Amino acid sequence: MSDIPEAEVARRVETILAGMSIEEKIGQLTQIAGAPFFPGPEPEEVIRKGGAGSVLWLNDTQKFNALQKIAVEESPSKIPLLFALDVIHGYRTIFPVPLAMASSWDPSVAERAQAVAAKEARAAGLHWTFGPMLDIARDARWGRIVEGAGEDPCLGAAMAAAQVRGFQGPSVGTPDHVVACAKHFAGYGAADGGRDYDPVYLPESRLRNVYFPPFQAAVKAGVGTFMSAYMDLNDVPASGNRFLLHDVLRGEWDFQGFVVSDAMAVGNLVIEGFARDGRDAALRALSAGMNMDMASGTFSENLAGLVEDGTLKVADIEAAVRPILAIKVRMGLFEHPYTDETRLAQVLAQPENHQEARLAAQRSMVLLRNEGGLLPLAKNLKKVAMIGPLADSMEATEGSWMVFGHTPAAVTVLEGMRAKLPEAQVTYAPGPEIRREIVSFFDDMMPGANAKPVQTPEQAEAAFQTAVATARAADVIVMVLGEKADMAGEAASRASLDLPGRQEELLKAVVALGKPVVLVLLNGRPLSISWAAENVPAILEAWEPGSEGGHAIAEILFGDANPGGKLPVTCPRKAGHVPLYYARDLSHQPEDHPMYRSRYWDGPTTPLYPFGFGLSYTTFLITNLKLATSKVKVGSSVSVTADVTNTGSVVGDEVVQLYIHQRASSDSRPMRELKGFERLTLKPGETKTVSFLLGPDELGYWSTNAGKWVQDAEYFDVWVGADSTATLCAEFEVIR
Ligand code: BGC
């Protein structure tokens, strides 16, 4: 059904539109909830009248078909529904969370993962996923950092395009794929104080140079839909923001798809103190460029009245409907509205889906420390203790943003270790439990989520002592600590970045036993593990690795896989240091200045681990940095090459990263900016040459002073290395 010529799609859309009443047109702009927890009229009733274009929060193939039957047989114009859901990192086979996938620095990991997710979701009857999330996040307090690709626009743009290709295939309507949705446009990750939904203030230069590139990359990759963000951007809610939804998205980027609001966001324009009432909210959202109202009912309640009294024209409504119908035409829904209910079980059971998930998990993990080569562990271990509240947690292993109705079914770290060491004694003690102090409203929606009674202090103490005793009886201890899945994600911001609960205390008690300790972290945001970074010999950042997480972790711990992931975020020493990111502007007293003192007097402000950092079981040397020319004209490109050699004794991966700095300019420019990267596998002793191209896209930027995109004729520094502190350096000049 893909690749229907543009003109043919447009012709069919006009034919459909010509037969529709104004109520039905408004219906297409309305997305309704299929969830039983959601108040409002029965979906069947609304659909029968042609009052809905799309249904969300439903994950039931039979119900999809039943609702679709009503839409295509009983509604006036018989227009099929689009079924939408958040399929963020897997439908049934769960992949590492997006922040983890970004740690692979391998866009093909994200592309393959989302292709599997799309295939499973499509077989279930879904047409449209609310992903990828493309919000740059430089503040780890913000819980939704887990859903994105981290702090950097270059890495973020590469991951954005890869995910769009994975979800959609080469174009909207490719069989076994779903429509993607680039969200949340835009700036959501920069919420004041890292508090989810709070206002965002970002100057235009920051928006255009940092926050927009992943979204623009998604448009270039052909993304079918966008989702507006919840919060105020520079005092204008993103869901009523014409600059974002009209001027930039349609005007500058020529986006041809449609925009859906975030859930309830059109109605919320009233709560936010922007719109006077629902009528005003509907008018302002539609006028800003919103096509579809997610779940608030504000469009369906108010648009007809606005047309009747002449405030809006029918043509305004039709303009909003067209791209929605176009997606339905491209998806082939008019020809094939139903889903084959017998297929799902076969698609979900594919062993190759799990194989992909395992590989993705291996490639996503970041080795943060390995003193004395403690890792990889020997396979002839006799007694291993698995300690920590997450060691046997399926839920923490699969991570945040589960598909609606999904039951966690991951291989836990404990299970992975036991499978790897069938002959050994692998003991387990969780220690004291960890919990959110304030329960998530998402947990409230899930029956039974908070059913477990809270551990009393006495029970916690007993669990603590059991854990220490279990560790004492072992030869090697693997501690699995971090955050539970509901501690990151939406409405899951934190004021602290420490290990929650008594985990660090337990870690200290276990390390004090003087035995080899490996720390495996399961978490959705970087944590300030300053004590561990100095006192625990081996630390593996496994993030939330998905269904196959436990196997992948065991494979890494025993050296069957060599870790090669790198941090997509700067890891701060303390929560008080955020936002901390590598691409800062220089100050009048930069780090190499004689007067430089730490920015805070109560400790170093350098990151605990820098952006781009990650170790391997082998070592690499990056040398021979060469530029094809030392002078390049504005508008032309310079090629940069370097050699990377595996200087160790095992096969391993290095991510070679290229950073630039412009020495003087129309505006101040960041001290370093990532402009290229490549993950390579090298055998011991092997050398490969990597090459990058720096052209106007990499060397230009949006200037506050000029009020436009510029490329200056200036001197540049260029570094190539293994993380954002790379020292191998060269220079070149851009000339007119
Ligand atoms: C989230 C979106 C999500 C939507 C639908 C909202 O609360 O912000 O990311 O796609 O719900 O579930």
Side-chain angles (χ1 to χ4, degrees):
M1 239 34 73
S2 67
D3 294 333
I4 310 176
E6 200 74 36
E8 163 79 2
V9 174
R11 193 191 54 72
R12 288 181 59 185
V13 166
E14 291 314 315
T15 311
I16 302 161
L17 210 49
M20 291 167 76
S21 66
I22 184 72
E23 288 74 25
E24 277 180 286
K25 287 171 189 165
I26 294 167
Q28 289 303 304
L29 308 183
T30 301
Q31 185 175 49
I32 60 167
F37 62 74
F38 204 80
E42 290 298 316
E44 289 82 354
E45 211 181 292
V46 180
I47 294 163
R48 193 167 285 118
K49 290 189 199 138
S54 175
V55 175
L56 87 158
W57 297 329
L58 181 69
N59 185 16
D60 178 337
T61 313
Q62 284 184 352
K63 185 88 188 272
F64 287 146
N65 280 339
L67 295 180
Q68 194 70 297
K69 193 167 184 329
I70 298 175
V72 300
E73 291 186 8
E74 300 177 37
S75 79
S77 288
K78 313 200 173 344
I79 299 171
L81 295 159
L82 268 178
F83 294 111
L85 202 65
D86 295 277
V87 180
I88 305 299
H89 53 113
Y91 176 81
R92 179 67 61 80
T93 311
I94 306 301
F95 284 80
V97 287
L99 187 65
M101 288 201 267
S103 300
S104 72
W105 290 60
D106 177 357
S108 76
V109 162
E111 182 170 345
R112 289 200 308 268
Q114 302 305 28
V116 171
K119 192 174 176 190
E120 292 188 352
R122 190 75 180 85
L126 289 161
H127 307 126
W128 178 20
T129 179
F130 299 130
M133 191 199 91
L134 306 180
D135 298 307
I136 294 289
R138 296 177 157 190
D139 185 337
R141 293 172 301 181
W142 189 56
R144 302 196 80 167
I145 194 170
V146 62
E147 295 174 56
E151 74 180 47
D152 186 75
C154 173
L155 180 61
M159 289 293 160
Q163 291 190 77
V164 170
R165 288 193 302 267
F167 280 134
Q168 293 190 168
S171 60
V172 168
T174 305
D176 291 334
H177 287 73
V178 294
V179 184
C181 181
K183 73 183 186 186
H184 310 81
F185 197 51
Y188 187 24
D192 274 357
R195 294 178 298 270
D196 205 5
Y197 315 132
D198 263 15
V200 168
Y201 293 92
L202 285 171
E204 193 167 352
S205 58
R206 187 49 71 95
L207 275 173
R208 291 187 180 276
N209 292 321
V210 178
Y211 285 77
F212 283 173
F215 288 100
Q216 194 174 6
V219 173
K220 286 188 183 151
V223 72
T225 70
F226 257 59
M227 186 187 293
S228 66
Y230 276 129
M231 77 305 142
D232 276 13
L233 174 67
N234 303 330
D235 293 333
V236 180
S239 296
N241 196 313
R242 196 169 158 85
F243 164 72
L244 289 175
L245 305 185
H246 181 271
D247 301 355
V248 173
L249 185 56
R250 268 79 172 222
E252 295 178 26
W253 299 348
D254 195 28
F255 172 66
Q256 299 291 327
F258 72 84
V259 180
V260 64
S261 75
D262 203 338
M264 316 299 290
V266 177
N268 290 353
L269 294 176
V270 181
I271 305 176
E272 285 174 84
F274 178 71
R276 200 175 302 125
D277 49 26
R279 181 182 185 279
D280 193 28
L283 174 63
R284 292 172 81 174
L286 192 94
S287 310
M290 186 71 69
N291 301 80
M292 190 180 275
D293 170 3
M294 184 192 287
S296 87
T298 312
F299 275 5
S300 62
E301 280 161 29
N302 297 285
L303 287 180
L306 284 159
V307 173
E308 255 160 51
D309 68 19
T311 310
L312 285 173
K313 298 190 187 64
V314 174
D316 298 325
I317 307 292
E318 289 180 343
V321 176
R322 275 191 191 95
I324 298 172
L325 293 177
I327 293 262
K328 293 184 178 187
V329 169
R330 287 191 190 283
M331 287 294 286
L333 295 183
F334 289 90
E335 295 79 13
H336 303 286
Y338 301 113
T339 297
D340 175 356
E341 289 168 24
T342 62
R343 242 191 101 222
L344 180 62
Q346 304 151 28
V347 173
L348 296 184
Q350 296 306 310
E352 62 261 29
N353 298 2
H354 277 262
Q355 192 45 40
E356 284 287 1
R358 194 146 158 179
L359 198 70
Q362 286 174 0
R363 290 180 77 78
S364 299
M365 292 178 197
V366 185
L367 183 63
L368 295 177
R369 196 165 196 245
N370 194 17
E371 287 302 289
L374 174 56
L375 294 178
L377 298 169
K379 284 184 188 149
N380 58 3
L381 289 176
K382 296 279 170 291
K383 281 186 186 170
V384 180
M386 304 294 299
I387 307 291
L390 306 179
D392 197 29
S393 167
M394 290 190 187
E395 173 249 359
T397 308
E398 288 196 342
S400 97
W401 250 138
M402 277 306 103
V403 162
F404 193 75
H406 172 79
T407 310
V411 177
T412 66
V413 190
L414 177 65
E415 288 166 350
M417 291 292 282
R418 284 192 169 146
K420 188 60 79 188
L421 295 178
E423 309 293 320
Q425 187 190 23
V426 181
T427 53
Y428 160 58
E433 71 178 13
I434 52 171
R435 275 194 173 234
R436 284 175 59 135
E437 282 109 64
I438 298 172
V439 169
S440 164
F441 63 81
F442 291 108
D443 287 353
D444 282 342
M445 287 177 199
M446 279 177 273
N450 297 304
K452 210 174 140 217
V454 183
Q455 218 172 29
T456 63
E458 294 72 32
Q459 288 167 330
E461 182 55 27
F464 189 100
Q465 296 308 334
T466 306
V468 175
T470 308
R472 189 178 285 117
D475 303 328
V476 168
I477 300 136
V478 177
M479 300 214 52
V480 188
L481 308 179
E483 292 187 340
K484 288 176 63 181
D486 68 356
M487 291 176 171
E490 187 177 349
S493 296
R494 284 184 77 194
S496 160
L497 296 177
D498 297 344
L499 286 164
R502 295 180 63 186
Q503 293 183 100
E504 185 159 311
E505 193 191 336
L506 182 60
L507 181 63
K508 285 178 176 165
V510 170
V511 169
L513 299 172
K515 300 185 179 238
V517 177
V518 176
L519 171 59
V520 173
L521 291 168
L522 298 184
N523 50 295
R525 58 158 61 80
L527 295 172
S528 49
I529 46 154
S530 299
W531 187 87
E534 303 234 317
N535 296 286
V536 182
I539 307 176
L540 180 69
E541 176 54 88
W543 303 114
E544 295 171 337
S547 303
E548 291 288 315
H551 286 318
I553 288 169
E555 280 153 358
I556 291 215
L557 295 187
F558 290 98
D560 297 328
N562 191 349
K566 303 271 185 168
L567 292 175
V569 280
T570 300
C571 188
R573 292 172 192 273
K574 291 182 177 169
H577 293 178
V578 297
L580 186 68
Y581 48 94
Y582 80 93
R584 301 187 309 283
D585 283 1
L586 289 165
S587 71
H588 82 282
Q589 206 181 88
E591 276 83 336
D592 57 1
H593 190 274
M595 297 280 285
Y596 177 79
R597 300 279 186 277
S598 183
R599 284 286 180 273
Y600 303 102
W601 60 254
D602 58 351
T605 33
T606 49
L608 188 58
Y609 298 106
F611 174 81
F613 174 81
L615 301 170
S616 163
Y617 295 151
T618 186
T619 48
F620 296 95
L621 203 60
I622 301 175
T623 54
N624 215 10
L625 172 58
K626 280 193 206 145
L627 274 72
T629 166
S630 61
K631 288 189 198 305
V632 59
K633 283 200 155 197
V634 168
S636 302
S637 299
V638 52
S639 119
V640 182
T641 55
D643 293 340
V644 51
T645 306
N646 182 343
T647 50
S649 53
V650 287
V651 178
D653 284 12
E654 180 58 292
V655 179
V656 183
Q657 304 163 36
L658 176 143
Y659 296 86
I660 63 163
H661 168 238
Q662 183 173 343
R663 288 189 196 157
S665 27
S666 166
D667 295 7
S668 295
R669 302 298 303 138
M671 55 177 108
R672 284 188 185 202
E673 288 178 282
L674 181 75
K675 291 295 176 182
F677 62 89
E678 193 175 343
R679 180 167 175 161
L680 304 152
T681 304
L682 292 153
K683 296 191 203 77
E686 193 184 3
T687 298
K688 282 184 183 168
T689 301
V690 279
S691 57
F692 303 99
L693 212 54
L694 293 173
D697 285 350
E698 288 75 27
L699 304 175
Y701 64 96
W702 201 91
S703 154
T704 299
N705 260 333
K708 60 177 185 188
W709 290 96
V710 296
Q711 189 189 354
D712 301 321
E714 277 299 347
Y715 281 95
F716 282 79
D717 299 302
V718 47
W719 295 266
V720 173
D723 63 49
S724 56
T725 65
T727 51
L728 183 65
C729 184
E731 62 171 39
F732 65 94
E733 188 186 1
V734 174
I735 52 169
R736 295 235 172 259

